[in-house]
């Protein structure tokens, strides 16, 4: 195992910091675009799920309305049947029984029509929700297209350099003592500027600017 001198250890750390700082610059150039693209994709996915749910609800309500329409036809057919029977009744008891059946079917028709009216109102509400969802999707898809184009351009411009720097960073880390590397990573991750190794400038730290 090769033993590195203090100078070699420090040189490797400085080189590693310079490489990582350049990688940080690329990430800064990308800015919040990766997060924004991911957020837009997640929201669009959620809206597609909502679209599917709304369509299923509309179809379910329309099936309910169709069933009720069949129920009205059956009730109206029974009413005609009872009216025809009422022409051949033999006594008041039969007449009253038939009239009661007719009234029940008429009531069933009115109740069913009310249910259909309420269901039709629900369909309109769902359709309005569908339109709003589609409008929102159009806006988000346009925004996503712009963000993706920006991000893809930056990636295309920096991809080659980023891969090269990542290789150099890995190589530099292999030449840094494990204990120093652990300290470097810990300090680097503690600060937003990502600086763990800095120069001394005019007797002051080049990172926090405190006098040494």
């Amino acid at each position: 195992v090769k033993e590195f001198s203090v100078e070699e250890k420090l040189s490797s750390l400085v080189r590693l910091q310079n490489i990582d700082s350049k990688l940080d610059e690329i990430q800064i150039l990308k800015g919040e675009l990766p997060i924004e693209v991911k957020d837009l994709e997640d929201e669009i996915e959620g809206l597609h799920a909502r679209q599917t749910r709304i369509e299923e609800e509309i179809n379910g309500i329309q099936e309910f309305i169709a069933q009720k329409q069949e129920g009205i036809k059956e009730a109206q057919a029974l009413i005609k049947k009872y009216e025809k029977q009422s022409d051949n009744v033999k006594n008041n008891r039969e007449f009253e029984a038939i009239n009661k059946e007719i009234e029940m079917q008429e009531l069933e028709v009115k109740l069913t029509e009310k249910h259909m009216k309420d269901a039709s109102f629900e369909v309109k509400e769902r359709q309005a929700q569908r339109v709003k969802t589609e409008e929102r999707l159009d806006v988000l898809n346009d925004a996503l297209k712009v963000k993706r184009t920006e991000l893809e351009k930056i990636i295309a411009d920096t991809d080659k350099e980023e891969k090269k720097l990542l290789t150099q960073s890995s190589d530099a880390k292999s030449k840094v003592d494990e204990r120093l590397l652990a300290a470097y990573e810990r300090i680097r991750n503690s600060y937003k500027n990502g600086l763990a190794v800095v120069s001394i400038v005019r007797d002051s730290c080049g990172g926090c600017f405190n006098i040494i």
Side-chain angles (χ1 to χ4, degrees):
V1 177
K2 182 182 177 182
E3 288 292 329
F4 295 106
S5 67
V6 173
E7 182 181 354
E8 286 175 322
K9 289 177 181 178
L10 290 174
S11 295
S12 295
L13 277 173
V14 170
R15 179 169 177 262
L16 178 59
Q17 179 66 76
N18 289 336
I19 293 167
D20 285 345
S21 292
K22 289 178 181 177
L23 284 167
D24 289 342
E25 288 174 7
I26 292 174
Q27 295 306 316
I28 291 169
L29 187 61
K30 292 178 183 177
E32 298 294 320
L33 281 174
I35 297 172
E36 290 173 1
V37 167
K38 183 66 171 62
D39 288 344
L40 285 168
E41 288 173 343
D42 289 344
E43 190 173 353
I44 288 170
E45 186 178 346
L47 288 173
H48 280 308
R50 184 190 296 178
Q51 261 187 330
T52 301
R53 187 173 64 252
I54 290 172
E55 288 296 336
E56 288 173 352
E57 289 174 353
I58 289 173
N59 291 335
I61 296 169
Q62 288 175 336
E63 285 178 9
F64 171 81
I65 292 172
Q67 290 172 359
K68 292 299 179 182
Q69 286 174 334
E70 289 300 316
I72 287 176
K73 288 179 181 178
E74 290 174 6
Q76 289 172 338
L78 285 173
I79 289 171
K80 288 181 179 179
K81 176 185 173 183
Y82 292 136
E83 286 176 345
K84 190 174 182 181
Q85 287 179 356
S86 66
D87 294 335
N88 300 316
V89 293
K90 297 178 180 178
N91 52 55
N92 287 338
R93 187 176 178 182
E94 288 183 6
F95 183 78
E96 288 176 2
I98 289 173
N99 275 346
K100 189 174 182 181
E101 289 294 336
I102 291 172
E103 287 173 3
M104 285 180 63
Q105 293 303 320
E106 288 175 343
L107 184 62
E108 182 66 26
V109 169
K110 288 180 180 178
L111 187 61
T112 302
E113 286 175 343
K114 183 182 183 303
H115 289 160
M116 288 173 61
K117 184 178 179 181
D118 293 341
S120 296
F121 180 75
E122 287 184 25
V123 168
K124 288 180 180 179
E125 281 189 332
R126 299 296 189 283
Q127 288 172 338
Q129 290 174 3
R130 181 173 60 187
V131 170
K132 287 182 180 179
T133 302
E134 289 170 352
E135 289 174 349
R136 179 64 178 160
L137 271 171
D138 288 340
V139 171
L140 292 179
N141 280 320
D142 288 342
L144 179 60
K145 186 178 179 181
V146 172
K147 296 290 183 183
R148 270 182 178 164
T149 301
E150 290 178 15
L151 183 58
E152 286 167 2
K153 185 178 185 304
I154 293 171
I155 290 173
D157 292 341
T158 60
D159 186 58
K160 188 176 180 180
E161 182 184 1
E162 187 174 11
K163 286 179 179 176
K164 180 182 176 182
L165 288 170
L166 285 170
T167 301
Q168 291 176 352
S169 177
S170 179
D171 179 62
K173 284 178 182 177
S174 68
K175 296 176 182 177
V176 177
D177 179 79
E178 287 185 7
R179 185 178 59 82
L180 285 176
L181 182 60
Y184 168 82
E185 295 288 0
R186 186 181 70 253
I187 296 169
R188 177 170 154 75
N189 292 330
S190 299
Y191 295 93
K192 290 182 179 179
N193 60 14
L195 295 176
V197 180
V198 294
S199 302
I200 302 298
V201 182
R202 295 179 184 176
D203 297 328
S204 296
C205 170
C208 64
F209 306 111
N210 286 328
I211 294 175
I212 306 300

